[in-house]
């Protein structure tokens, strides 16, 4: 067949050769489909296929340029309102006002740019994971090539330490084990074997497949490449990640909507005033322009972007102190509405440190205390400690028939207690200040090693007393490992560990309390039942045996006539703080769903131990058989999904979101990146997570601990409460200003407060206290509330009534003060107050004085407004010392404006006397009474939060 004819068949390969099929067909069919053989491809054929399939790499997606991010800052309607206002002020000669407004625009733009500027490095990180070279067979010869030139049909060779260059079907293997953690999220290496699997076999269980960018831990093998580049499993994840849209948080959406509403409102109010003044009345056009600008400036909450950004940043800083690093500031408030947390098992709910928990020896069962790699622990029978001599030989076998070593690694501040770190003492050179002791080896063997240390064994001393002189290595076919050692009395001894059934088959005797007794069929049956009992507790069980003075040669022939020592059952235990965190989440109305690649038995056992609601389990194959409608019907009742693939995780997420849930999704491996990015709150693991997942996430857990998620949710709720408080505070102030200006214009009073005075209030005297509200403490019942509904935004019906009520009350209280100080009378023609207060000739009524009174009155009423808003959260004025300080600063700055020449010139104000402060005090007191009554009415008709 010619190369051209072969290439005509390539589309058939692509259609039938997707990642769900290659593992489920005979190897011969794979090679036929790919038009290849054990000799590999020819150079010409490989070159032709490279043209067809493209290079074995993931295409880079261009990120958003800084210039475009800057341009996007001007897409807000609020910004353009201020820009137009500045232009109008400049056109009519009010250059100082125009300059101040322009400065505010620049300030808001810079804040927005800093907030939005973050590099999307996900695709670049995936590219960096690609290998540089691959060992292939072409034209019947092995050769090393640039891995980017690898094509489907190539025959590759891998060995320990290699990174797999492409998705491939295994042809031959020798004790091959691959670390697929980056792809599946599971830390335990996968033993590979040649064979055929069922079509529905999950990704984590496809032992006949190798996947691009996974790492060979031991052994060697050859395989035929079936997918490269974007077609590989990791390439499909990259494509999904590229297609995933950046989701605006509810708060971002609401702020955008609020901006548009304010813009429409400004246009409407200005239109009404223009018609009233220019058509009906006789107000000069310049005064109408100034009133319009005043309305526009007063309607825009200039301080809101800065306050929001700083509040979120402070909240993010507090969360970082609790090991939750926030990558996207707006996501912080979204945490408050999370009602489902989908979490990994390994390392998040569990220690990620296999621990021996049960021992079967001496025809008894013992419980082992201690968790993880802590070498402190006891062996208990019926809660009573036993002498370690009773299990001495079992643990000697566990430590000697073991390839774990103790080394050092660079210290990581995020992982002070991380997996693999030795917490006991052992011989060896002391690590440096930048290093720490660590166990090097397979997690299962580390668990056996630590159990032996609990029994009092010292690694170096035991190795010296029992030097290894032979080994029959473990393979996936043999399911066992045997080592031969010289004994202290110059004899020899063979130790075996492996799958219990494999070990028992080679034993005819058993060690019971130091005596060797016969191992009959009845006893073997009892041991098998004990193995099953351990397995039902989700323990991974291994059997142990020995043979004294085994004959040479030290090969498989020594693995017979052995003495059975016992069983050790191990489990990756839950973190001790997780059950409490789960309980707190459930009490807060947040459901917790475990999604794991582990088997159903282990997942259910962990689920029951940590306190999931019902520990209902659905496996990956069962999930694939469900229609979307069936999954939607069941998803809210399922707490555990086991044996899942990356596609399963994304499907579960999307189903929950479609049912109206706000979902936080954790992930660590590359496979998790699409689900993490598509989640409402994406959470990556900082210790064992990949760069790709971290860059796709919103939050990174620096300690990989589920309890940190609980703390982050609590922090998110606190931040949202604070955001809601200062939004209420700022918008009520803006509404009061708009209402005051609009009312004054409609009743013929003209401009009751100038634009520059409004800017001062919005940015300084209101803005500074609002900033400190961002550090308000959490209310006592913050984690006793149910999550807020996704459709409920920052601004609720209660807050709307609060904004309207405050605006009306401020107008009612301040408008009489304006007329009194403008006309000398509260009601022109009726001198009810001027004589009563005894006007001094030094304080003649004037528009400047009246505007100064309104200007200062707004500032004075901020204290009343703040406490009226904070009251329903159970917070007193002095619960936040920064707020008290901010109010003091705001009042001081206002006094400087009133009583310094520069302030009087810049803001067109007049100094106030005692009589004026009495008026303001009366107005503020009336406002406080009105607000107190109004809050009681709100409490009757609206929920507290």
């Amino acid at each position: 067949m010619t190369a051209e004819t072969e290439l005509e068949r390539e589309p058939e390969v692509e259609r039938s050769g997707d990642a769900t099929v290659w593992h489920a067909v005979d190897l011969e069919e794979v090679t036929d489909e790919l038009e290849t053989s054990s000799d590999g491809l020819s150079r010409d054929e490989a070159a032709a296929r490279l043209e067809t399939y493209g290079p074995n790499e993931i295409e880079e997606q261009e990120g958003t340029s800084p210039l475009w991010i800057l341009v996007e800052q001007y897409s807000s309607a609020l910004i353009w309102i201020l820009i137009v206002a500045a232009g109008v002020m400049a056109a009519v000669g009010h250059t100082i006002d125009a300059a101040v407004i322009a400065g505010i625009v620049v300030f808001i733009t810079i804040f927005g740019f800093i907030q939005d500027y973050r590099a999307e490095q996900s695709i670049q990180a995936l590219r960096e994971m690609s290998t540089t070279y691959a060992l292939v067979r072409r034209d019947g010869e092995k050769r090393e090539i640039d891995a980017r030139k690898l094509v489907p049909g190539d025959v590759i060779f891998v060995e320990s330490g290699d990174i797999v260059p492409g998705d491939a079907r295994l042809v031959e293997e020798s004790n091959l084990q691959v670390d697929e953690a980056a792809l599946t999220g599971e830390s335990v290496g996968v033993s590979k074997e040649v064979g055929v699997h069922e079509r529905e076999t999950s990704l984590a269980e496809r032992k006949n497949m190798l996947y691009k960018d996974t790492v060979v831990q031991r052994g060697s093998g050859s395989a035929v490449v079936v997918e490269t580049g974007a077609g590989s499993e990791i390439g499909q994840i990259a494509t999904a990640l590229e297609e995933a849209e950046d989701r605006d948080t509810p708060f971002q959406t609401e702020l955008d909507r609020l901006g548009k509403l304010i813009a429409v409102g400004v246009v409407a109010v200005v239109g009404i005033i223009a018609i009233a003044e220019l058509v009906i009345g006789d107000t000069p056009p310049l005064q109408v322009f100034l009133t319009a600008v005043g309305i526009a400036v007063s309607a825009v909450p200039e301080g809101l972007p800065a306050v929001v950004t700083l509040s979120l940043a402070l909240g993010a800083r507090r969360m970082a102190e609790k090991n939750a690093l926030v990558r996207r500031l707006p996501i912080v408030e979204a945490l408050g509405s999370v009602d489902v947390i989908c979490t990994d098992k390994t390392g998040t709910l569990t220690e990620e440190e296999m621990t021996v928990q049960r021992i079967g020896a001496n025809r008894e069962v013992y419980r082992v205390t201690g968790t993880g790699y802590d070498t402190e622990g006891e062996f208990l029978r019926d809660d009573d400690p036993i002498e370690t001599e009773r299990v001495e030989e079992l643990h000697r076998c566990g430590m000697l028939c073991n390839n774990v070593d103790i080394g050092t690694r660079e210290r990581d501040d995020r992982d002070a207690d991380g997996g693999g770190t030795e917490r006991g003492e052992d011989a060896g050179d002391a690590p440096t200040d930048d290093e720490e002791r660590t166990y090097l080896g397979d997690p299962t063997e580390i668990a056996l090693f630590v159990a032996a240390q609990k029994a009092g064994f010292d690694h170096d001393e035991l190795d010296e007393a029992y030097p290894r002189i032979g080994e029959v290595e473990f393979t996936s076919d043999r399911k066992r490992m045997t080592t031969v050692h010289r004994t202290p009395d110059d004899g020899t001894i063979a130790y075996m560990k492996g799958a219990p059934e494999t070990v028992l088959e080679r034993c005819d005797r058993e060690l019971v309390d130091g005596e060797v007794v016969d191992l009959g069929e009845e006893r073997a049956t009892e041991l098998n039942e004990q193995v099953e009992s351990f397995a039902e507790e989700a323990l991974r069980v291994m059997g142990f045996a020995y043979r004294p003075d085994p004959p040479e040669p030290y090969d498989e022939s020594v693995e017979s006539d052995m003495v059975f020592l016992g069983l050790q059952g191990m489990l990756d235990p839950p973190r001790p703080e997780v059950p409490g965190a789960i309980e707190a989440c459930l009490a807060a109305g947040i459901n917790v769903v475990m999604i794991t690649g582990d088997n159903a038995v282990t997942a259910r056992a962990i689920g029951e131990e940590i306190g999931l609601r019902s520990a209902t389990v659905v496996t990956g194959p069962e999930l694939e058989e469900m229609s979307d409608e069936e999954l939607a019907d069941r998803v809210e009742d399922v707490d555990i999904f086991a044996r899942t693939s990356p596609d399963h995780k994304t499907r579960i997420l999307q189903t929950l979101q479609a049912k109206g849930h706000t979902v936080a999704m954790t992930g660590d491996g590359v496979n998790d990146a699409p689900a993490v990015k598509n989640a409402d709150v994406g959470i990556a693991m900082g210790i064992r997570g990949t760069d790709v997942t971290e860059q796709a996430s919103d939050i990174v857990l620096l300690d990989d601990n589920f309890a940190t998620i609980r703390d982050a949710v609590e922090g998110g709720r606190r931040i949202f409460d604070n955001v809601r408080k200062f939004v209420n505070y700022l918008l009520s102030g803006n509404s009061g200003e708009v209402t005051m200006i609009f009312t004054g214009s409609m009743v013929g009073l003209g401009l009751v407060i100038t634009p520059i005075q409004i800017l001062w209030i919005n940015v300084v005297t209101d803005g500074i206290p609002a900033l400190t509200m961002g550090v308000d403490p959490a209310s006592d019942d913050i984690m006793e509330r149910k999550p807020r509904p996704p459709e409920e935004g920052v601004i609720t019906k209660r807050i709307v009534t609060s904004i309207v009520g405050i605006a009306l009350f401020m107008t009612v209280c301040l408008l009489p003060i304006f007329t009194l100080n403008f006309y000398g009378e509260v009601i022109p023609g009726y001198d009810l107050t001027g004589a009563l207060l005894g006007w001094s000739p030094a304080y003649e009524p004037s528009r400047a004085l009246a505007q100064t009174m309104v200007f200062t009155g707004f500032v004075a009423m901020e204290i009343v407004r703040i406490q009226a808003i904070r009251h329903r959260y159970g917070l007193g004025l002095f619960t936040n010392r920064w707020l008290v300080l901010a109010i003091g600063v705001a009042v001081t700055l206002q006094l400087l404006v009133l009583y310094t020449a520069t302030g009087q010139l810049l803001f067109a104000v007049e100094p106030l006397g005692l009589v004026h402060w009495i008026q303001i005090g009366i107005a503020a007191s009336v406002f406080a009474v009105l607000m107190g009554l109004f809050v009681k009415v709100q409490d009757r008709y609206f929920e507290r939060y």
Side-chain angles (χ1 to χ4, degrees):
M1 181 177 293
T2 64
E4 183 178 357
T5 307
E6 290 173 356
L7 288 176
E8 289 173 355
R9 291 190 57 185
E10 291 308 322
E12 294 181 15
V13 175
E14 190 172 344
R15 284 197 301 269
S16 62
D18 61 78
T20 63
V21 172
W22 291 118
H23 63 279
V25 296
D26 292 333
L27 184 59
E28 184 178 352
E29 187 175 344
V30 172
T31 55
D32 289 345
E33 192 82 15
L34 293 169
E35 295 286 340
T36 190
S37 68
S38 58
D39 289 334
L41 303 173
S42 66
R43 291 186 182 184
D44 292 342
E45 175 65 11
R49 293 193 184 192
L50 187 60
E51 288 292 323
T52 302
Y53 291 103
N56 178 32
E57 59 186 3
I58 298 163
E59 294 184 5
E60 184 175 357
Q61 181 188 29
E62 290 188 9
T64 305
S65 69
L67 178 60
W68 180 249
I69 294 175
L70 182 63
V71 170
E72 283 187 326
Q73 303 309 309
Y74 293 93
S75 62
S76 169
L78 298 182
I79 290 291
W80 284 103
I81 291 175
L82 293 177
I83 291 174
V84 171
V88 170
M89 296 301 285
V92 298
H94 289 247
T95 54
I96 295 178
D97 291 28
V100 172
I101 296 173
I104 294 297
V105 170
V106 172
F107 176 75
I108 294 173
T109 301
I110 292 174
F111 253 91
F113 178 81
I114 293 173
Q115 177 176 332
D116 293 341
Y117 181 64
R118 61 184 184 91
E120 281 292 340
Q121 298 292 328
S122 299
I123 304 302
Q124 289 82 345
L126 282 166
R127 288 171 58 86
E128 291 171 4
M129 291 181 66
S130 299
T131 55
T132 305
Y133 297 103
L135 185 62
V136 303
R137 178 180 284 142
R138 288 187 178 171
D139 291 323
E141 295 181 355
K142 287 185 179 180
R143 64 184 65 221
E144 200 173 61
I145 65 167
D146 185 332
R148 291 174 297 179
K149 297 181 180 180
L150 196 72
V151 295
D154 265 325
V155 175
I156 60 171
F157 299 87
V158 294
E159 59 184 17
S160 179
D162 287 348
I163 298 177
V164 178
D167 289 4
R169 173 66 181 271
L170 201 59
V171 176
E172 293 179 347
E173 62 86 17
S174 175
N175 195 25
L176 184 62
Q177 182 170 299
V178 181
D179 178 3
E180 296 182 345
L183 190 60
T184 66
E186 291 303 315
S187 58
V188 178
V190 180
S191 294
K192 296 296 181 177
E193 57 188 32
V194 176
V196 180
H197 293 296
E198 296 296 326
R199 183 187 181 97
E200 61 273 11
T201 304
S202 66
L203 184 72
E205 295 178 313
R206 297 174 191 171
K207 296 185 177 181
N208 62 352
M209 295 291 297
L210 300 178
Y211 292 107
K212 179 175 169 60
D213 291 334
T214 58
V215 181
V216 179
Q217 288 183 320
R218 69 183 182 201
S220 60
S222 64
V224 57
V225 175
V226 296
E227 299 288 354
T228 58
S232 64
E233 284 288 341
I234 207 166
Q236 291 177 41
I237 292 169
T239 301
L241 194 60
E242 187 174 333
E243 294 172 352
E245 297 181 358
D246 286 331
R247 301 167 59 92
D248 280 348
T249 68
F251 187 46
Q252 287 174 304
T253 303
E254 188 164 4
L255 282 182
D256 291 341
R257 183 171 62 86
L258 178 64
K260 293 173 184 177
L261 286 175
I262 290 175
V264 172
V266 167
V267 172
V269 172
V270 169
I272 293 172
I273 292 176
I275 294 172
E277 297 291 352
L278 295 177
V279 179
I280 301 174
D282 56 358
T283 305
L286 177 59
Q287 185 63 41
V288 175
F289 270 121
L290 293 177
T291 301
V293 171
I295 290 284
V297 173
S298 64
V300 177
E302 292 87 358
L304 187 59
V307 173
V308 168
T309 300
L310 187 57
S311 177
L312 296 180
L314 290 173
R317 181 178 178 180
R318 288 194 302 268
M319 291 168 65
E321 292 172 354
K322 295 186 176 182
N323 292 314
L325 180 65
V326 176
R327 297 188 64 252
R328 291 183 59 211
L329 284 184
I331 210 69
V332 172
E333 58 82 24
L335 278 167
S337 61
V338 166
D339 61 353
V340 178
I341 299 174
C342 294
T343 176
D344 289 333
K345 175 185 71 67
T346 305
T348 307
L349 298 175
T350 65
E351 296 275 10
E352 199 183 12
E353 296 179 348
M354 294 291 286
T355 306
V356 174
Q357 296 192 327
R358 296 285 187 277
I359 288 176
N362 304 316
R363 302 191 175 181
E364 295 176 342
V365 175
Y366 309 118
R367 183 167 61 89
V368 185
T369 65
T371 59
Y373 297 157
D374 191 340
T375 57
E376 297 296 324
E378 293 183 305
F379 303 93
L380 307 177
R381 182 174 185 273
D382 297 331
D383 295 329
D384 294 323
I386 66 167
E387 296 294 331
T388 55
E389 288 80 4
R390 299 192 64 193
V391 290
E392 184 179 77
E393 197 63 29
L394 174 65
H395 288 300
R396 182 181 285 114
C397 175
M399 181 170 275
L400 289 174
C401 189
N402 195 316
N403 288 325
V404 167
D405 200 358
I406 295 178
T408 59
R409 69 171 178 182
E410 291 185 359
R411 189 179 300 278
D412 187 342
D413 291 338
R414 298 181 310 180
D415 188 23
D417 249 2
T421 303
E422 181 193 2
R423 302 190 185 105
E425 296 182 358
D426 210 296
D429 295 334
T432 67
D433 291 341
D434 296 327
E435 297 176 330
E436 59 188 353
R437 284 291 186 193
T438 184
Y439 294 107
L440 307 176
D442 179 83
T444 300
E445 291 197 321
I446 293 175
L448 300 174
F449 193 98
V450 172
Q453 287 183 312
K454 290 178 182 178
F457 284 106
D458 180 274
H459 177 232
D460 292 342
E461 291 178 1
L462 197 60
D463 268 358
E464 185 177 349
Y466 290 81
R468 185 181 299 188
I469 57 175
E471 177 181 351
V472 187
E473 67 178 10
F474 174 90
T475 68
S476 55
D477 288 333
R478 285 168 33 79
K479 297 181 180 179
R480 63 188 185 276
M481 169 187 179
T482 301
T483 56
V484 183
H485 303 263
R486 184 76 61 191
T487 63
D489 58 4
D490 209 28
T492 58
I493 190 170
Y495 286 113
M496 174 195 289
K497 76 168 187 290
E501 65 278 8
T502 302
V503 173
L504 279 170
E505 287 173 358
R506 288 156 179 79
C507 295
D508 56 11
R509 289 160 296 165
E510 180 183 11
L511 185 68
V512 180
D513 285 326
E515 294 185 10
V516 176
V517 298
D518 289 337
L519 178 62
E521 290 185 10
E522 184 177 347
R523 176 56 184 157
T525 301
E526 291 176 359
L527 286 169
N528 284 322
E529 290 174 352
Q530 191 173 79
V531 170
E532 292 177 6
S533 175
F534 281 6
E536 288 174 359
E537 297 181 51
L539 298 175
R540 183 175 185 181
V541 189
M542 299 199 74
F544 300 83
Y546 77 98
R547 180 178 179 178
D549 298 317
E552 295 189 51
Y554 299 139
D555 54 22
E556 289 190 356
S557 63
V558 306
E559 298 176 328
S560 61
D561 301 326
M562 304 200 77
V563 180
F564 185 72
L565 287 170
L567 304 169
Q568 293 195 57
M570 62 208 75
L571 179 71
D572 182 9
R575 291 176 178 263
E577 63 274 19
V578 164
I582 296 279
E583 183 179 3
C585 286
L586 296 177
I590 304 169
N591 188 31
V592 179
V593 179
M594 180 199 301
I595 304 179
T596 178
D598 217 332
N599 63 71
V601 174
T602 300
R604 180 181 288 108
I606 293 294
E608 291 175 349
E609 191 168 349
I610 63 178
L612 292 184
R613 290 180 309 170
S614 61
T616 304
V617 182
V618 169
T619 64
E622 291 172 345
L623 186 64
E624 289 179 354
E625 293 176 1
M626 292 182 189
S627 64
D628 291 341
E629 293 75 16
E630 290 172 330
L631 179 58
D633 289 339
R634 292 197 58 188
V635 71
E636 292 178 316
D637 299 320
V638 178
D639 299 316
I640 300 170
F641 290 91
R643 286 303 186 199
T644 54
S645 69
D647 291 339
H648 296 154
K649 204 165 192 177
T650 302
R651 187 182 175 200
I652 293 165
L653 167 70
Q654 292 172 343
T655 303
L656 286 167
Q657 289 175 327
K659 292 185 74 70
H661 292 286
T662 302
V663 185
M665 175 73 75
T666 72
D668 51 13
V670 174
N671 63 307
D672 296 326
V676 166
K677 183 156 187 171
N678 281 292
D680 297 287
V681 180
I683 304 173
M685 302 297 112
I687 295 175
R688 71 181 193 282
T690 59
D691 289 342
V692 178
T693 308
E694 288 186 12
Q695 290 160 12
S697 69
D698 305 305
I699 296 173
V700 179
L701 299 187
L702 301 182
D703 59 356
D704 290 11
N705 193 338
F706 179 83
T708 303
I709 302 177
R710 184 268 320 272
D711 294 340
V713 170
E714 181 176 349
R717 290 188 175 190
R718 173 186 175 184
I719 291 167
F720 184 81
D721 278 357
N722 292 343
V723 167
R724 181 172 271 175
K725 278 181 279 187
F726 64 62
V727 166
N728 189 353
Y729 174 69
L730 290 176
L731 292 185
S732 62
N734 286 100
S735 298
E737 294 158 5
V738 170
T739 306
M740 187 72 185
I741 295 174
F742 180 75
T743 305
S745 179
M746 289 294 96
V747 299
L749 296 177
L751 196 63
V752 297
I753 186 170
T754 66
I756 195 169
Q757 290 170 350
I758 292 170
L759 282 173
W760 175 260
I761 294 172
N762 290 355
V763 178
V764 181
T765 59
D766 272 2
I768 294 175
L771 285 174
T772 61
M773 289 171 74
V775 294
D776 258 356
S779 57
D780 294 337
D781 63 348
I782 196 164
M783 285 300 282
E784 296 173 10
R785 311 178 208 158
K786 300 299 180 185
R788 73 178 191 275
E791 66 275 6
E792 179 183 299
V794 174
I795 302 175
T796 61
K797 290 181 180 179
R798 175 163 183 153
I799 289 180
V800 170
T801 62
S802 177
I803 291 171
V804 173
I806 289 173
L808 292 175
F809 295 149
M810 290 174 76
T811 301
V812 167
C813 293
L814 291 176
L815 201 59
I817 288 182
F818 180 87
T819 58
L820 174 61
N821 290 276
F822 184 39
Y823 294 108
E825 304 167 339
V826 175
I827 302 175
Y830 297 89
D831 188 3
L832 300 178
T833 311
L836 179 65
L837 293 178
W839 284 105
S840 165
Y843 298 107
E844 288 297 327
S846 67
R847 178 172 296 278
L849 176 61
Q851 289 175 337
T852 303
M853 291 292 289
V854 171
F855 177 35
T856 307
F858 272 118
V859 175
M861 289 180 182
E862 72 181 17
I863 301 175
V864 180
R865 279 169 45 221
I866 284 174
Q867 203 46 40
I869 291 168
R870 297 172 77 241
H871 165 75
R872 63 191 175 110
Y873 295 92
L875 300 175
L877 180 62
F878 296 98
T879 55
N880 183 348
R881 68 178 186 276
W882 295 108
L883 178 59
V884 175
L885 178 63
I887 292 173
V889 169
V891 171
T892 301
L893 291 174
Q894 182 68 16
L895 293 175
L896 289 174
V897 168
L898 293 176
Y899 297 109
T900 62
T902 302
Q904 293 170 11
L905 176 65
L906 183 62
F907 291 93
V909 296
E910 293 188 6
L912 301 181
L914 178 61
V915 65
H916 304 117
W917 285 111
I918 292 174
Q919 294 176 52
I920 291 172
I922 293 172
S925 299
V926 173
F927 178 68
V929 172
L930 291 173
M931 283 305 305
L933 296 173
F934 185 62
V935 168
K936 291 184 181 296
V937 173
Q938 283 187 308
D939 288 340
R940 179 179 297 178
Y941 292 101
F942 297 101
E943 292 184 4
R944 184 178 175 191
Y945 299 108

